[in-house]
Amino acid sequence: RNREAKMASSSSSSSVALSFLYQNPIKASISIPKTFSPYSKLTFPSIASFNSAIPRLDYSNFKKINPCLHCSNLPTASTNNTQYEFSDGSSEVELRLELGQGDVTPKDIYVDANESSLAIRVQQSGIVRTLMETSTLYEKIKPAETIWYIDEDQLVISLKKQNSDLQWPDIVESWESLSAGITQLLRGTSIYLVGESTEINQRIARELAVGLGYTPLCTKELLEAYAKQSMESWINEEGSDAVAEAERAILESLSSQARAVIATLGGKKGAAGRVNQWRLLFAGFTVWLSLSQATDEESAKEEAKRNMQDSGRGYSNAEVVVKLGGWDPNYSKAVAQAVLSALKRLILADKDLPGKKSLYIRLGCRGDWPDIKPPGWDPSTSLDASSPRS
């Protein structure tokens, strides 16, 4: 299978900063430059010298070789058309890369594997070539158990997975691999997008639905079709409280809907912005798409922490927060990819979550998430009935 490394051209140097915070709590962050293309592979920088403390094995002679390739005085080159084959063997994944023309010996090859990254370089004809370099493997590996060998004109690398139950669609985490692979984790659970902007919620919902093969639904469109008037005129006539109550009724009808991505109303006019309206939203995985005022990744993460600790805001109930340092519709797929990456890590941290969501729905979405009470529990008589999560 041929792979191409591409980078979209752009004159802008600004970035979209994304920060994820899970209530487990788990944190991760990513910064996507404006030159990011959701279809692109990574471009690979030139490297002057390499070191590794992990032994690498060559199956051609079954001897330990020197893993260090010293090339500080050698010219370097980065490939932009790496050809590789990928296969998932349950407990491990295998990568086959074309070495190209010319003789290559084990001492000419450098493989550096870490938990979430991989760098592969080869010295040939006095030049060090980067065959592949990525900091975003699809999921974590056991770097100490990495083995490789030369098979004719191919370099074969075997990587041991930390989670043998997770099937890898590809070696790297990308839009294509995430949209193909996360369905095994979601198990049909719907996704609810909340946040201050109805437009952002709608656009990302459409991107996610197309990638996952889910049904895109928008509460604004459903409400306007029901009321036969625009959202603005409805709010002007009856107020935002009436609109929020109507959206709650829509969410109740959608709470048992599987395989859907649901975009909710943004801002204070919607049900999601109110702390007492989340009983039905917990039927799916909730993602808060939040515009950030932060100027760097670390401050965006701190902002996300503060937001999640603010129990007076309905969005603080969300299971995932994605911080956007600005908004450009042209980068909807980049944001959607970040959403899938965050959801993947959320579910891998607790693989029972989809099953709990299903049970929560079957018991009637009573407001007892995440501590689901036995059948027959009456939220109206519970001390927790006034909780923000009710």
Side-chain angles (χ1 to χ4, degrees), residues 60-370:
S60 62
N61 55 21
F62 292 93
K63 293 180 180 179
K64 184 188 297 184
I65 66 171
N66 185 355
C68 299
L69 177 60
H70 300 286
C71 51
S72 57
N73 297 321
L74 295 176
T76 61
S78 298
T79 61
N80 58 6
N81 189 14
T82 300
Q83 296 181 347
Y84 69 86
E85 299 174 6
F86 173 80
S87 60
D88 186 325
S90 184
S91 63
E92 60 188 26
V93 294
E94 184 181 272
L95 189 64
R96 288 177 171 263
L97 298 99
E98 300 292 336
L99 290 172
Q101 301 296 323
D103 294 331
V104 178
T105 64
K107 67 179 182 180
D108 298 324
I109 293 173
Y110 173 83
V111 177
D112 182 24
N114 293 298
E115 275 196 345
S116 302
S117 65
L118 179 67
I120 306 164
R121 301 180 181 90
V122 58
Q123 178 183 339
Q124 239 176 342
S125 303
I127 296 176
V128 176
R129 291 191 299 122
T130 300
L131 295 183
M132 176 176 285
E133 183 172 25
T134 177
S135 60
T136 53
L137 291 173
Y138 185 76
E139 197 37 54
K140 292 182 179 180
I141 62 169
K142 299 176 181 178
E145 298 183 40
T146 299
I147 58 177
W148 60 265
Y149 60 96
I150 298 174
D151 182 13
E152 296 183 350
D153 60 347
Q154 287 187 324
L155 174 63
V156 184
I157 303 171
S158 178
L159 305 167
K160 197 78 169 182
K161 295 191 288 187
Q162 287 194 15
N163 182 356
S164 60
D165 296 329
L166 181 66
Q167 184 177 1
W168 289 30
D170 201 350
I171 188 67
V172 297
E173 183 184 86
S174 63
W175 168 252
E176 292 85 359
S177 64
L178 283 168
S179 56
I182 200 171
T183 52
Q184 64 179 303
L185 300 175
L186 290 172
R187 287 155 52 183
T189 308
S190 292
I191 300 170
Y192 291 83
L193 300 181
V194 305
E196 296 83 357
S197 170
T198 303
E199 177 198 354
I200 294 176
N201 295 345
Q202 287 179 292
R203 286 185 176 271
I204 304 308
R206 284 195 289 267
E207 292 286 358
L208 290 171
V210 170
L212 298 174
Y214 274 28
T215 301
L217 295 170
C218 174
T219 58
K220 178 184 177 183
E221 294 175 355
L222 294 172
L223 287 167
E224 289 181 336
Y226 166 77
K228 296 181 173 57
Q229 62 179 331
S230 69
M231 188 60 56
E232 289 72 18
S233 63
W234 191 354
I235 293 175
N236 289 335
E237 289 179 11
E238 301 186 35
S240 59
D241 288 345
V243 171
E245 181 58 30
E247 186 181 32
R248 186 206 63 78
I250 291 289
L251 292 172
E252 185 166 13
S253 67
L254 296 178
S255 61
S256 59
Q257 174 76 41
R259 296 178 177 84
V261 185
I262 301 161
T264 64
L265 290 175
K268 297 180 179 179
K269 58 181 173 289
R274 300 161 187 246
V275 294
N276 61 345
Q277 297 284 0
W278 273 71
R279 175 176 64 86
L280 300 164
L281 290 167
F282 289 127
F285 290 112
T286 52
V287 181
W288 178 7
L289 303 175
S290 176
L291 288 170
S292 174
Q293 299 299 317
T295 57
D296 56 67
E297 191 173 306
E298 285 303 315
S299 56
K301 289 167 66 175
E302 290 302 316
E303 183 182 63
K305 280 184 184 179
R306 293 192 300 270
N307 291 160
M308 296 293 273
Q309 292 167 356
D310 183 3
S311 59
R313 302 182 68 181
Y315 301 141
S316 65
N317 289 310
E319 292 157 301
V320 170
V321 177
V322 178
K323 286 288 183 182
L324 287 73
W327 169 243
D328 185 338
N330 293 323
Y331 296 92
S332 296
K333 189 163 289 185
V335 178
Q337 178 178 330
V339 169
L340 292 184
S341 179
L343 285 173
K344 185 186 75 171
R345 283 156 178 74
L346 173 70
I347 299 172
L348 287 177
D350 185 355
K351 296 177 184 177
D352 294 330
L353 277 176
K356 287 182 66 176
K357 293 286 187 182
S358 178
L359 175 61
Y360 180 75
I361 294 169
R362 293 199 304 272
L363 291 175
C365 299
R366 301 171 300 180
D368 50 346
W369 182 266

Side-chain angles (χ1 to χ4, degrees), residues 373-385:
K373 305 296 188 296
W377 176 73
D378 183 0
S380 64
T381 61
S382 171
L383 294 176
D384 298 329

